[in-house]
Amino acid sequence: MRLARTEPTDQEPDIRARPPLVREFLLVAGLFLAYKFGRQAANGHVEEAFRNAGNVWDLERALHLPGEGAVQGLLLHSQPLIHAANTYYAAVHFPATALFLIWLYWRRPAHYVRSRRVLAALTGAALVLHLLFPLAPPRMLPAAGLVDTGQVFGPTVYGQTPATDTMANQFAAMPSLHVGWALMVALGLIAATRSRWRWLWLLHPAITLFVVVGTANHYWLDAIVVVALLAVALAAFRLPLSARTVPARLRGPGAWGSGEGAPVPAYAGGGSGTYEGGVRPAISEAPVASGTYAGGAR
């Protein structure tokens, strides 16, 4: 007997698992606004942010992590490469995550629900850390000796005066949501698809890590912490079994459990098979569906 195997779903989306569109739009927009306002509330704390930056820098050296300057040195060899890295940092983060959620919503609703929950939990945890642990990025730390590539070569999303920047909180380096969101996008697409090329999505978080460190916007520890937070969120919001696996369609009209063309044992009398000598066994005189018995006797 051939057993049904399970594999990642790649069929038409189950619309029953798709939440109402308007509700989801309002929910995601509300979460985004809450995060932006929360970051603004965490602005300031200049002295604390620079003190924490010095501690993080010293801890990385004590842990023998590679210097961020080694990555930036690769970018400084080419001005077009620096400009491309700054553009990637400024322009890819939000659109890539938004497109990821939109695609999951329409094509993989069950995966969308889980991914939205994970991203919300990860972002909420990051906001708490931003409030409790303001951190100046390495581009601001004199001891790091790094170049603020955004200000020098452009483009940049930050103002020249971090303490009064009304567009973004520049002291929210820990953890790096650029890396966290990029890794979630890659893992979500790998889980939701089954193309042999799907593992290439890991290039997105890899490039993002290279960019955020090379442009001196984040420390290595910012990425390490966000990966740990993402692992906790993924464990807390596990994908439903029905979305993880689906029985593969069995081939052939005689596959068991297909509902039609199922093999009928010879002794049931319902098959068209022949018997030795052309005579059916006596057991073929089985009760018929109407409830009468052979000879009309009950």
Side-chain angles (χ1 to χ4, degrees):
M1 183 177 65
R2 190 176 176 183
L3 297 177
R5 53 190 174 86
T6 58
E7 53 192 14
T9 179
D10 197 25
Q11 308 299 323
E12 288 300 314
D14 182 3
I15 62 175
R16 295 170 300 178
R18 184 182 294 152
L21 177 60
V22 175
R23 188 193 73 181
E24 286 302 305
F25 175 80
L26 294 176
L27 178 60
V28 173
L31 290 172
F32 174 76
L33 291 176
Y35 171 70
K36 293 296 289 184
F37 283 121
R39 282 174 61 98
Q40 289 300 314
N43 218 337
H45 308 286
V46 178
E47 294 183 3
E48 185 180 1
F50 277 95
R51 184 170 61 252
N52 291 335
N55 293 334
V56 167
W57 183 262
D58 292 340
L59 178 59
E60 285 191 344
R61 307 293 76 80
L63 295 174
H64 302 289
L65 293 177
E68 286 81 356
V71 179
Q72 187 173 86
L74 299 176
L75 292 178
L76 293 177
H77 287 296
S78 170
Q79 187 167 336
L81 184 59
I82 297 175
H83 191 272
N86 290 333
T87 303
Y88 196 94
Y89 180 84
V92 174
H93 178 47
F94 283 106
T97 308
L99 289 173
F100 163 69
L101 289 174
I102 291 171
W103 184 84
L104 285 184
Y105 180 86
W106 286 110
R107 298 299 302 169
R108 303 289 186 273
H111 288 265
Y112 162 79
V113 173
R114 188 222 189 186
S115 298
R116 186 251 291 153
R117 290 172 178 170
V118 170
L119 285 172
L122 176 65
T123 305
L127 179 57
V128 172
L129 273 178
H130 295 162
L131 293 168
L132 298 178
F133 192 79
L135 180 66
R139 57 187 166 82
M140 296 182 187
L141 188 63
L146 298 174
V147 177
D148 187 342
T149 60
Q151 295 293 342
V152 176
F153 301 99
T156 182
V157 295
Y158 300 120
Q160 293 185 352
T161 54
T164 59
D165 191 350
T166 59
M167 297 299 294
N169 179 10
Q170 298 193 45
F171 299 128
M174 173 72 75
S176 171
L177 280 179
H178 274 74
V179 174
W181 286 12
L183 184 56
M184 182 59 213
V185 168
L187 295 178
L189 290 173
I190 290 171
T193 59
R194 58 180 180 180
S195 167
R196 68 178 62 184
W197 304 104
R198 68 187 186 279
W199 296 100
L200 291 177
W201 285 113
L202 290 174
L203 288 175
H204 177 41
I207 293 173
T208 301
L209 178 61
F210 177 80
V211 164
V212 300
V213 173
T215 57
N217 281 294
H218 286 285
Y219 304 89
W220 293 113
L221 281 177
D222 298 339
I224 294 172
V225 170
V226 83
V227 170
L229 292 175
L230 179 59
V232 173
L234 287 169
F237 298 100
R238 297 182 62 84
L239 192 65
L241 181 62
S242 59
R244 279 181 278 163
T245 57
V246 63
R249 182 173 297 177
L250 298 178
R251 298 178 181 177
W256 286 37
S258 62
E260 54 184 67
V264 180
Y267 56 76
S272 59
T274 59
Y275 301 87
E276 186 177 357
V279 180
R280 293 178 182 268
I283 195 170
S284 63
E285 300 295 333
V288 295
S290 63
T292 59
Y293 295 81
R298 290 186 179 272

